[in-house]
Amino acid sequence: MAATALRLTGITKRFPGVLACDSIDLTIDPGTVHALLGENGAGKTTLMNVLSGRYRPDAGEISVAGRLVQFRSPKDALRSGIGMVHQHLMLVGTHTVAENVALGLDAPRVLLRRRRLDDEVRSLAERYGLPVDPHARIDELSLGQQQRVEILKLLHRNADVLILDEPTAVLTPAEVDGLFATLRRLVREGRSVVFITHKLEEVMEIADRITVLRRGRVVADLTPAQVDSRRELARLMVGREVVLGVEREPVPLGDPVLELRNCAGEDARGHCAFRRISFAVRHGEVLSIVGVAGNGQTELVSAITGGSRFSSGQALLFGKPLGRGGRAAAEAVGYIPEDRTGTGSAPGLDLTDNLLLTTYRRFCRWGWLQRKAAGRLTEDALARFRVAAPGPQALARQLSGGNLQKLILARELSKDPRLIVAEHPTHGLDIGATVEVWDELLRQRSRAGILLMSGDLAEVFALSDRIAVIFRGEIMGTFSAADPDAVAEIGPMMAGVLQE
Amino acid sequence: MMRLRLERRPVPPRANRWGGYGVAVVAAFCMGGVVFLLAGANPFAAYAAMANGVFGSLDDLAEVVVKAIPLVLCGLAVAVAAKIRLWNVGGEGQLVLGGIGASAVALFLAPRLPASGVLPLMLVAAFLTGGLWALLAGLLKAKLAVNEILTTLMLNYVAILWLEHLYFGPWRDPMGMGFPGTAMFPDAARLPRLLGTRIHFGIVLGLTAAVLLLAALSRTRWGYEMRVIGESPKAAQYAGMPINRTILWAMFLSGGLAGLAGMGEASGIHYRLQQGLAVGYGYTGIIVAALARLHPGGIVLAALFIAGILVGGEQLQTVMHLPASVGLVLEATLLFFVLGSDYFSQYRICRRTPTP
């Protein structure tokens, strides 16, 4: 087997308004498990999509065994021995395991040599400890089994570098052990594995080398031996630099605007996503809930903002049970969702239509929409929030990430909310836009209580009065932001470590 | 190495759009000329025959308008659903049901009603029957996520079989000497004709519907919800819009409009329910809506244009002795080129040399 040393130099990838990868250098040695660690939106997946030929970089180069290469498609990358297992598996559900392995093979142009293929799949499966029946239909398999099929696909094409994007997210603990055993066998043969994750325990268990990304840049490149503690990794991942130019004057506290008492909720698959959650957000304060992505934050926000329901517990909005306060209560909640292009805005509609998205009920008279009034409001909002846009007729798609976020903020604040729920409000924004969003949120404390969901500690410390840490759906502790020990304690708590 | 690639335009340029339209129509007619050549006819003579069939006399022109009436209504029907990303290809069946609904009133209730009440009641009946027929598919879509393209299409066959059952069976005119059709409608159930031609009052219905729809889509709360749901269902959900309810309303309205087309045919042209009610206006409505890019005003123009090709196409048969299907090929060619130009108004071809 040819050992492939892989080198990425100066990889830069830009999406409209977001710099996903900013001049990243990375070397992947043969026979290693290389962990790529970072928060959601740190650029891990984008970087690996560049490496596996799905995206083309805007700048930078890739070399395999000292030779420069350019990938136009995943097929090109696979020809150089690089393959990726995506987080959302890419299999044909109605076909069998063997047929999926055969999919995209160059060799059989007309006839599939089924028996030979079955044998090949079976022997690969045995050799690497990936038990699956070649005749099973994909949609009859569990996600863990489907993932094995994806790995078999790459092995059947003789990939030397296997990129796995958050492979453990869909696995049970026993399956994780099985996967790790397979990965160890692969690297023993001289192949390399790139393992994208934000779970620290896994990194420490399996990785030979660790690269930490934050906001599209490499912030650390180490071996597990160089890592003193998981706490340090957590800190590297979420950042700790205290931030420039945000002034926080204390605001007198008022009544609680949102109060949760022993609340629990489920994810889309019906599994418990969070439980025993109790906290109150008072008028005039910012309460942050920090945690590594995937610890129940999304489901918690969905239940608070009415996208789903709490399965138990008591939730009070403005002192009344959640959902019983009528339209007025629902409209006094400003919600800045994490996904600003798909959920928070409609990309193909103009800015006035986008400003109306959550406010249109106020602009209705007898079923008629007051578009003129809405257009004037849009113009005011564009000016007041300094949104760089050609005008209210521009399409939301034309705006950069930062300008779109300012538009969403303007819309949600125009409702005069008494509770603001902001999910990762500055994720992917440049520093200028970030500070503007922060300033505006802080100004709102005099009119509302703010619940901030974030994985970025810099942001959390810039904005919060109090900080609650969530891990595996439970709140591990709550700190005052003024507490000098808070910074030191929050990192490990996010990693699930209470004492170390 | 130089490569060509497609790139999305940030904003579809307006000038390009109309220019592209013109180019597409000219290209389609050139392509149609090739089809005429292949069919063994002189393309210039064929187009001349078509033009003569359309503009030859006032009656010919009126015939274009007569055919455009159901096309406007069916095109609007397709557009209402398509605005919310639903593909209602069941206009034909909804048109038939509308015809049946209107005929039921004309045949059985008219004698018991004051004369001035008959037509309004037929209108309501046609809208309701067409709308409810489409609502069947809408309910399946909203409640069970059943693909509406399949259900609306299949309901067409059911509707046409019902129609045949009625005029061959229980509703057949006992005095009709075996003619497959119902009795003639009483005078009170016939739509008035205009200007001494075959153009009937349905044209007022079609134009009114187009204006109302245009206003509803751009100016009302309901239209706004439709646009957001069609553009981004996730954003609509985030905004708390009643997605399922809007799907149901859109399907009902869509079917209702097609139903009005059925009433127009039955009570404006045939004055009875008979064979010839389902001649494909429901399907051609899809082409009309696509040509007009779902714009209600454009639908009126596109309907007149397609109706012109239909009427002109008849001349190909009678004067040029070409098969009737040549007209259909011309229709398809137009659609092909216009949709193609639509694509290039949103994407552009770029040259790109890979960075070394």
Side-chain angles (χ1 to χ4, degrees), chain B residues 63-332:
Chain B
E63 202 51 32
V64 172
V65 177
V66 167
K67 285 203 187 317
I69 292 169
L71 289 179
V72 168
L73 287 163
C74 289
L76 292 175
V78 171
V80 173
K83 282 278 176 194
I84 199 169
R85 301 276 154 102
L86 290 175
W87 306 113
N88 176 12
V89 295
E92 192 77 0
Q94 293 140 22
L95 177 150
V96 163
L97 257 290
I100 292 175
S103 301
V105 173
L107 294 171
F108 304 113
L109 294 179
R112 275 165 247 167
L113 287 171
S116 60
V118 175
L119 280 171
L121 194 64
M122 286 171 72
L123 195 84
V124 172
F127 198 94
L128 272 179
T129 44
L132 292 174
W133 196 247
L135 198 60
L136 279 179
L139 278 168
L140 285 168
K141 171 78 177 183
K143 302 290 170 203
L144 300 171
V146 180
N147 187 330
E148 78 285 359
I149 302 179
L150 295 176
T151 50
T152 51
L153 182 69
M154 291 192 295
L155 282 171
N156 285 345
Y157 301 106
V158 181
I160 291 171
L161 287 172
W162 268 110
L163 170 70
E164 290 176 353
H165 169 69
L166 288 174
Y167 68 65
F168 276 117
W171 288 10
R172 170 140 58 178
D173 181 9
M175 309 299 191
M177 325 269 272
F179 178 80
T182 64
M184 298 293 277
F185 293 174
D187 281 345
R190 300 181 182 192
L191 283 173
R193 291 190 169 172
L194 311 176
L195 310 169
T197 63
R198 297 217 311 152
I199 301 173
H200 56 83
F201 189 76
I203 190 169
V204 179
L205 294 181
L207 293 177
T208 312
V211 171
L212 285 181
L213 196 63
L214 187 62
L217 282 173
S218 59
R219 294 264 175 268
T220 67
R221 166 184 176 147
W222 175 82
Y224 176 71
E225 290 177 337
M226 292 257 294
R227 281 187 291 135
V228 174
I229 296 170
E231 178 62 37
S232 171
K234 268 201 301 185
Q237 200 170 15
Y238 159 70
M241 292 178 181
I243 297 181
N244 277 347
R245 201 168 75 202
T246 312
I247 288 180
L248 296 180
W249 272 111
M251 277 311 265
F252 177 69
L253 195 57
S254 171
L257 287 167
L260 291 185
M263 170 182 174
E265 292 305 284
S267 100
I269 306 282
H270 308 307
Y271 297 144
R272 59 158 42 138
L273 207 57
Q274 62 172 35
Q275 201 167 11
L277 180 60
V279 291
Y281 291 128
Y283 295 108
T284 311
I286 303 170
I287 298 182
V288 168
L291 286 179
R293 296 175 177 121
L294 310 184
H295 188 278
I299 284 172
V300 174
L301 296 178
L304 282 168
F305 188 63
I306 291 286
I309 289 182
L310 286 177
V311 171
E314 285 165 6
Q315 298 298 306
L316 295 176
Q317 224 174 332
T318 53
V319 179
M320 304 292 295
H321 305 295
L322 287 171
S325 50
V326 172
L328 291 180
V329 173
L330 203 59
E331 233 177 77

Side-chain angles (χ1 to χ4, degrees), chain A residues 5 9 22 58 81 90 95 99 102 149 165 167-168 240 247-248 267 286 322 339 363 366 407 412 445 461 477:
Chain A
T9 324
D22 184 3
D58 296 324
M90 298 184 173
H95 284 194
E99 284 164 347
V149 179
D165 193 355
T168 56
R240 64 176 164 188
E247 286 179 28
R248 291 186 68 244
D267 63 17
V286 178
L322 188 71
D339 170 22
F363 288 91
W366 306 103
L407 182 80
E412 295 307 307
R445 287 177 307 160
F461 277 98

Side-chain angles (χ1 to χ4, degrees), chain A residues 236-251:
Chain A
L236 283 169
M237 196 159 93
V238 295
R240 64 176 164 188
E241 66 267 53
V242 178
V243 165
L244 8 130
V246 184
E247 286 179 28
R248 291 186 68 244
E249 283 162 20
V251 171

Side-chain angles (χ1 to χ4, degrees), chain A residues 26-28 32-36 193-195 208-211 221:
Chain A
L26 185 71
T27 305
I28 293 159
T32 57
V33 175
H34 196 128
L36 211 52
V193 172
V194 181
F195 189 94
D208 300 304
R209 193 157 189 95
I210 305 166
T211 299
D221 192 356

Side-chain angles (χ1 to χ4, degrees), chain A residues 230-263:
Chain A
R230 279 194 260 174
R231 154 193 321 231
E232 186 187 327
L233 274 186
R235 239 182 262 149
L236 283 169
M237 196 159 93
V238 295
R240 64 176 164 188
E241 66 267 53
V242 178
V243 165
L244 8 130
V246 184
E247 286 179 28
R248 291 186 68 244
E249 283 162 20
V251 171
L253 291 183
D255 295 331
V257 286
L258 174 71
E259 201 173 350
L260 301 193
R261 291 179 193 150
N262 201 17
C263 284

